[in-house]
Structures are given as structure tokens and as C-alpha cells.
């Protein structure tokens, strides 16, 4: 079934939902959907609507509401703070982080990271990738993507778990962490060139706990996805949800 996001402030009644803008263009001119076709609609806040096209015009699509469910409970918030990677690697990571249920994606500027591009254009691209991933994986609440920030300005998870996988950590495996208390988790991952020693010292000073992801040196994007999977499993975010 096709999936689309809609703006509830445009028109969202018990009976009908109005879609305009790029999504309406995509429905009408790209997918060439017609009256009577079904779709799943997301308001971006957890509402999941099963609908059927009632009317299509040149600028808008009206869906008849068939059913509504609330999926606003997305589990324990997990933030992935990732040092900026080269273009396609960052694109892939944003896509996979969305699929894996990351709550917030926070690009970080470090000494050895790729220099971020034009902030506005880059964020727009990442947003498009994220929204397409949401539709593909049936995620009703989009992942929040923040503008790139300096490591020293990175907001910590107050009262939560702040962890940093690091290739030189030999004493603390991920399994030693206790993340099952319902508190938010922040995972900090370095760039392809790794963290500078001063950055590691700073992170530890402000409250990050360095952990090991095993004996092998992982690429930055591999380390990020491995850490996200382990953290999501540990906090219970991979528990089964009712089938739609």
C-alpha cells in the first residue's frame, strides 16, 4: 500500500483528509493514482489513517477516511550523534537510522570529519531521504534531523545514557551497559579518521562513557549502525508491535 504524509492543519476531519503540494503532485502525476485507490496516511505525530481517494484535482487530493489508529508511542528516545561523513555515506546512514527507529539524528563537526556543505541544502536533502525511508518502513513519526553542531556544543542526554564507541576502549564491552531503565540514550560516533585524543578526553570529561564494539576496527557508518541496533535492543525498542 502507498504511504503519504499530510499536514493536519490543511484539512483533517473525521471523514476526509486533504493533501496538497508535492505529495498531491506525486499522487496525481507520478503514481497516477485514481479515485478509489487506497493509501496509508501519516500526520507526522503518530496518527495512521487508512484512506481511499475520493477526489483528485490538479492541485489537491481528497481521501475518504476508512480507519484511524494512534502509534505515537515510539519507545525510548535514542539520539545518534554522528560526525559528518562523505555525502553518500551520510545519506545511507540517515536512511538506515530512520529504518532502525532513531529518534534524533545529530550531525557533529569534529577535527577529522568531512566539512558540512551548505546547511540549508544539506538539511533539505537529508529530510527528503528520511521521509522516503519513513514511507518505505511504515514509520509514522519522522526522525528529527538537527543542523550540524560542534562537538563542544553537543547537548547531552540529561539523566540518560551518553555512550561513545571508541576503537581504543578495551575494558568495557557494550554488553556491560545497563540501558533497560527507560532513560534516553545518546550514541556518539566519530568520523572516518576517528576522534582526536583531545576530543576523547573532552567527551569523557563531560560524561560520555567509552565502550567497545568488538576487536575489529569498523568503518564509521558500520559502527553507527551496530551501536544503534545494540542500543535499541537493550532499551526494548525492538519489541514486537501489533501488525497493521
Amino acid at each position: 500500500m502507498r504511504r503519504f504524509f499530510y499536514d493536519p492543519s490543511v484539512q483533517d476531519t473525521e471523514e476526509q483528509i486533504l493533501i496538497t503540494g508535492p505529495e498531491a503532485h506525486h499522487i496525481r502525476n507520478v503514481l497516477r493514482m485514481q479515485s478509489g485507490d487506497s493509501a496509508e496516511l501519516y500526520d507526522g505525530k503518530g496518527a495512521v489513517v487508512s484512506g481511499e481517494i475520493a477526489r483528485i484535482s490538479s492541485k489537491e487530493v481528497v481521501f475518504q477516511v476508512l480507519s484511524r489508529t494512534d502509534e505515537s508511542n515510539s519507545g525510548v528516545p535514542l539520539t545518534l550523534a554522528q560526525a559528518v561523513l562523505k555525502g553518500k555515506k551520510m545519506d545511507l546512514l540517515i536512511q538506515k537510522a530512520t529504518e532502525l527507529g532513531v529518534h534524533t539524528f545529530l550531525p557533529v563537526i569534529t577535527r577529522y570529519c568531512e566539512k558540512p556543505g551548505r546547511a540549508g541544502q544539506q538539511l533539505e536533502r537529508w529530510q527528503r531521504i528520511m521521509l522516503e525511508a519513513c514511507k518505505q518502513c511504515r514509520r509514522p513519526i519522522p526522525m528529527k534531523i538537527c543542523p550540524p553542531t560542534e562537538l563542544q556544543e553537543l547537548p547531552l542526554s540529561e539523566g540518560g545514557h551518553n555512550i561513545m564507541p571508541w576503537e581504543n576502549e578495551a575494558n568495557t564491552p557494550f554488553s556491560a551497559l545497563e540501558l533497560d531503565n527507560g532513560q534516553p540514550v545518546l550514541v556518539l560516533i566519530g568520523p572516518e579518521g576517528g576522534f582526536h585524543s583531545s576530543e576523547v578526553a573532552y567527551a569523557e570529561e563531560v560524561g560520555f562513557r567509552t565502550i567497545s564494539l568488538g576487536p575489529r576496527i569498523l568503518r564509521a557508518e558500520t559502527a553507527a549502525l551496530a551501536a544503534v541496533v545494540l542500543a535499541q535492543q537493550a532499551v526494548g525498542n525492538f519489541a514486537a508491535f501489533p501488525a497493521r
Side-chain angles (χ1 to χ4, degrees):
M1 183 181 292
R2 301 287 185 179
R3 304 173 189 99
F4 307 101
F5 282 93
Y6 71 94
D7 182 356
S9 67
V10 175
Q11 178 182 323
D12 180 8
T13 68
E14 289 297 319
E15 296 81 22
Q16 291 187 331
I17 288 173
L18 175 66
I19 293 183
T20 60
E23 288 283 57
H25 169 81
H26 190 65
I27 291 170
R28 181 179 184 274
N29 300 317
V30 179
L31 299 176
R32 298 188 181 279
M33 296 177 70
Q34 300 178 354
S35 295
D37 288 347
S38 299
E40 200 167 65
L41 311 176
Y42 304 147
D43 72 347
K45 300 177 182 179
V48 177
V49 178
S50 176
E52 183 179 276
I53 295 178
R55 186 175 71 255
I56 297 181
S57 69
S58 60
K59 295 184 179 180
E60 61 185 36
V61 180
V62 177
F63 279 87
Q64 187 70 31
V65 175
L66 302 179
S67 66
R68 290 177 184 264
T69 56
D70 180 8
E71 298 186 16
S72 56
N73 181 11
S74 55
V76 177
L78 187 150
T79 296
L80 175 59
Q82 171 66 57
V84 179
L85 305 176
K86 292 181 180 178
K88 290 186 177 180
K89 292 183 178 180
M90 203 69 167
D91 293 351
L92 176 67
L93 190 51
I94 286 171
Q95 180 191 69
K96 300 309 176 187
T98 302
E99 294 176 18
L100 290 170
V102 170
H103 181 276
T104 302
F105 189 93
L106 211 167
V108 182
I109 300 171
T110 65
R111 179 175 295 197
Y112 300 133
C113 80
E114 185 75 6
K115 300 303 179 186
R118 294 183 179 180
Q121 294 179 358
Q122 199 169 50
L123 279 175
E124 287 180 9
R125 174 181 175 80
W126 291 342
Q127 287 285 348
R128 288 196 302 270
I129 292 170
M130 179 272 296
L131 288 174
E132 286 305 312
C134 284
K135 296 175 186 177
Q136 180 274 321
C137 71
R138 303 180 79 179
R139 174 174 175 165
I141 302 178
M143 178 176 70
K144 180 181 178 181
I145 302 179
C146 302
T149 184
E150 297 285 345
L151 176 62
Q152 290 73 16
E153 299 174 2
L154 182 67
L156 271 66
S157 178
E158 296 294 336
H161 306 279
N162 299 285
I163 59 178
M164 184 177 76
W166 183 41
E167 65 272 17
N168 292 328
E169 174 57 61
N171 299 318
T172 308
F174 197 100
S175 58
L177 301 177
E178 296 181 359
L179 305 180
D180 58 352
N181 61 358
Q183 297 302 312
V185 178
L186 170 61
V187 178
L188 173 61
I189 303 290
E192 285 100 332
F195 287 112
H196 187 269
S197 58
S198 64
E199 293 173 330
V200 176
Y202 168 78
E204 291 181 321
E205 180 182 345
V206 298
F208 277 94
R209 184 176 182 184
T210 56
I211 57 102
S212 171
L213 291 176
R216 286 169 286 279
I217 302 297
L218 304 179
R219 293 182 182 273
E221 63 272 27
T222 306
L225 295 177
V228 165
V229 168
L230 290 170
Q232 293 286 56
Q233 180 66 35
V235 301
N237 283 350
F238 281 167
F241 288 91
R244 290 194 226 130

